[in-house]
Amino acid sequence: MKVALKHIRVVVGKIPRILRAIIEGAITLQSDMELIASGGADLSATARRSHADVVIVAEEMYEGDPAHRQVLVDNPQLKLFVVTDDGRAAHMLEFRRLPVADVSPQGLVEAIRDAVGTGARPQAE
Amino acid sequence: MRNGCQPQLVRFPSVRRCRRSAAVHGRARRPRIYLAFSLARGQAYGSTRDRNGGPVGAHITRHVGRCGVHEPTCPRHPLSGEVGVMIAVLIVASIRIYRDGLALMLAREGSFTIAAAVSDRAHAIAYLTDSHPDLVLLDLTTPESDLIIRDVERLSPRAPIVAVGVGDAEQDMLSCVEAGVAGLVSRDASFSPRFEGRLLRRVAALAAARDAAASPERLTVRECEIVRLLEQNLSNKEIAVRLGIEVATVKNHVHNLLEKLHVQRRTDVARRSTRSARAMAGGTPPDPGDPPTF
């Protein structure tokens, strides 16, 4: 049984020109991806209007551009890929809403442990 | 620049046509190609078939008058985008996304074939020892990129080097040109038209200087004699006495030397003129019209 490929809509943010051309070239070669927009200023609005699945941006040494983070807050369904300006590294960010069932001091503490993934509980003194 | 020729910006399909014409006309000598990549005014230039091509598109600067095959003489002069001779490119880039990405972009361009894509100087030397690409694309963030430029000039002197990732400062770009790079691609900046003009003139001047140094037969016997005497800091009058010719004749020869060697001062003449040039000129007929004085 054939599984239909999900059509992935990609927006590319402001990235150094050569790197941007390389990334765009790689995306346009894929049959299951579509380059929606590139190099635009208002990433958040562009991503929202175009119903993008993925946004790719560049940062110098992962500075943590607030504008990039805002894109995720405004569009929580997005996956944000951050590439360093020099092309040496990349990582993905996503906005995850994890409900905290027990909004109490202890509930928050437990949620923190779960989010970090330690799973450990300190021994009761 | 020789003969008042101006460097011209030509799209690279013309390179293919000129090389093809070289084969048609049976010229043994390959055309000398001087490449100038640029991200002029924020626009990307590709081939005539891809006007919206990526930033690694090429303007080819060819010094008309030096090239063995000229655009006007080529029977297939109009740019028609025909598929012809491919340009074999060696890519040297330590960062994988650039190495693989540039290879992908150039391969898609249709005018290029990727001879090799290597990550460091050792692999570049290994390749260049046995093979000769038509062009070298060098990412300047590659370690020892300055040494790689020298390696290319030593092992594959006919291959122009295009540097990618040049700093945005004009001096950085000019330094690349001084080092022997024929073309530049900045990672992001667009060049001002004024700087582009300066760069083209500088490339042309470097090309002329290289030709002067590489053409030992251009100095006559008499000119070589005068160069030797200039090295001794002799005046025109002293040179005239030493050689038994008129002072005016010496001045003419010095003037010719300044032009041939592309220098401004007589003190630079000896420095520019290579030993091989003077040795080779031993077989060149002496200048006519050097009347001796009695």
Side-chain angles (χ1 to χ4, degrees):
Chain A
M1 185 173 91
K2 282 190 180 177
V3 177
L5 287 174
K6 177 176 165 45
H7 190 69
I8 303 171
R9 299 167 68 80
V10 181
V11 168
V12 176
K14 281 192 175 176
I15 293 179
R17 285 185 78 94
I18 296 181
L19 192 54
R20 175 150 45 100
I22 289 171
I23 292 171
E24 290 174 358
I27 290 168
T28 52
L29 278 178
Q30 311 307 315
S31 59
D32 61 336
M33 294 187 187
E34 182 183 357
L35 183 65
I36 303 299
S38 175
D42 192 347
L43 266 186
S44 188
T46 305
R48 190 168 52 251
R49 269 198 313 271
S50 61
H51 306 289
D53 301 302
V54 169
V55 171
I56 305 176
V57 297
E59 290 179 5
E60 189 173 349
M61 303 304 291
Y62 296 140
E63 286 175 336
D65 190 333
H68 295 159
R69 280 32 179 193
Q70 191 63 40
V71 170
L72 277 181
V73 172
D74 294 342
N75 303 275
Q77 80 289 351
L78 276 180
K79 302 287 189 271
L80 182 73
F81 283 82
V82 182
V83 183
T84 53
D85 277 350
D86 59 9
R88 291 184 192 274
H91 66 261
M92 186 194 79
L93 295 176
E94 58 182 350
F95 187 91
R96 296 171 66 194
R97 281 204 180 100
L98 299 174
V100 176
D102 178 11
V103 187
S104 65
Q106 189 60 31
L108 281 172
V109 165
E110 297 294 335
I112 289 169
R113 287 202 183 98
D114 289 340
V116 172
T118 61
R121 300 287 185 272
Q123 296 291 330
E125 294 179 11
Chain B
M1 286 175 280
R2 275 198 196 177
N3 303 324
C5 293
Q6 298 288 333
Q8 296 181 357
L9 294 180
V10 182
R11 293 184 190 261
F12 54 70
S14 305
V15 174
R16 292 204 304 271
R17 244 176 297 291
C18 280
R19 292 177 63 186
R20 205 177 152 112
S21 178
V24 167
H25 295 299
R27 293 176 192 263
R29 185 178 161 209
R30 288 173 58 190
R32 304 277 291 276
I33 303 166
Y34 302 98
L35 293 172
F37 272 43
S38 78
L39 284 176
R41 301 176 211 92
Q43 295 174 9
Y45 289 86
S47 73
T48 52
R49 292 177 296 166
D50 180 17
R51 290 188 183 275
N52 297 318
V56 193
H59 292 281
I60 293 179
T61 300
R62 183 174 58 237
H63 191 170
V64 177
R66 178 172 300 109
C67 181
V69 179
H70 310 301
E71 185 81 26
T73 64
C74 180
R76 306 172 87 88
H77 170 61
L79 299 177
S80 63
E82 69 170 292
V83 176
V85 177
M86 303 284 274
I87 299 174
V89 181
L90 167 65
I91 296 174
V92 184
S94 59
I95 300 175
R96 186 172 173 186
I97 194 169
Y98 282 104
R99 188 169 66 250
D100 293 354
L102 289 170
L104 193 63
M105 287 168 59
L106 290 178
R108 287 176 71 187
E109 172 61 36
S111 312
F112 302 98
T113 181
I114 306 305
V118 300
S119 59
D120 54 36
R121 183 184 174 209
H123 286 98
I125 290 173
Y127 177 82
L128 291 168
T129 302
D130 295 322
S131 308
H132 300 286
D134 296 320
L135 181 152
V136 176
L137 194 61
L138 170 63
D139 182 357
L140 288 183
T141 61
T142 304
E144 300 184 303
S145 58
D146 54 337
L147 297 178
I148 294 172
I149 292 172
R150 288 191 217 164
D151 293 332
V152 173
E153 291 189 334
R154 176 171 54 89
L155 297 170
S156 204
R158 298 185 75 86
I161 304 169
V162 176
V164 177
V166 177
D168 296 345
E170 289 188 1
Q171 190 50 52
D172 290 341
M173 300 177 196
L174 289 172
S175 298
C176 282
V177 173
E178 300 273 0
V181 167
L184 311 169
V185 185
S186 166
R187 287 209 191 276
D188 202 36
S190 56
F191 296 175
S192 68
R194 185 174 148 196
F195 174 72
E196 203 174 73
R198 281 179 61 199
L199 185 61
L200 288 175
R201 285 191 293 274
R202 185 71 187 123
V203 170
L206 280 175
R210 283 187 185 184
D211 270 359
S215 303
E217 66 278 6
R218 297 180 61 235
L219 293 186
T220 64
V221 173
R222 182 64 87 195
E223 285 169 348
C224 291
E225 287 176 333
I226 291 178
V227 168
R228 273 192 288 271
L229 296 174
L230 285 173
E231 284 177 339
Q232 299 171 33
N233 288 323
L234 298 185
S235 65
N236 287 346
K237 189 174 178 183
E238 288 167 330
I239 293 173
V241 168
R242 192 75 71 90
L243 297 179
I245 56 178
E246 297 285 340
V247 173
T249 308
V250 173
K251 286 182 181 177
N252 281 338
H253 284 307
V254 172
H255 176 76
N256 290 339
L257 282 167
L258 292 176
E259 279 199 346
K260 281 187 177 182
L261 298 174
H262 301 277
V263 295
Q264 303 286 338
R265 296 175 299 220
R266 53 197 285 130
T267 49
D268 294 332
V269 168
R271 203 176 312 139
R272 180 59 62 88
S273 172
T274 61
R275 263 189 205 178
S276 59
R278 300 208 297 269
M280 283 289 295
T284 308
D287 289 328
D290 268 6
T293 56
F294 296 96

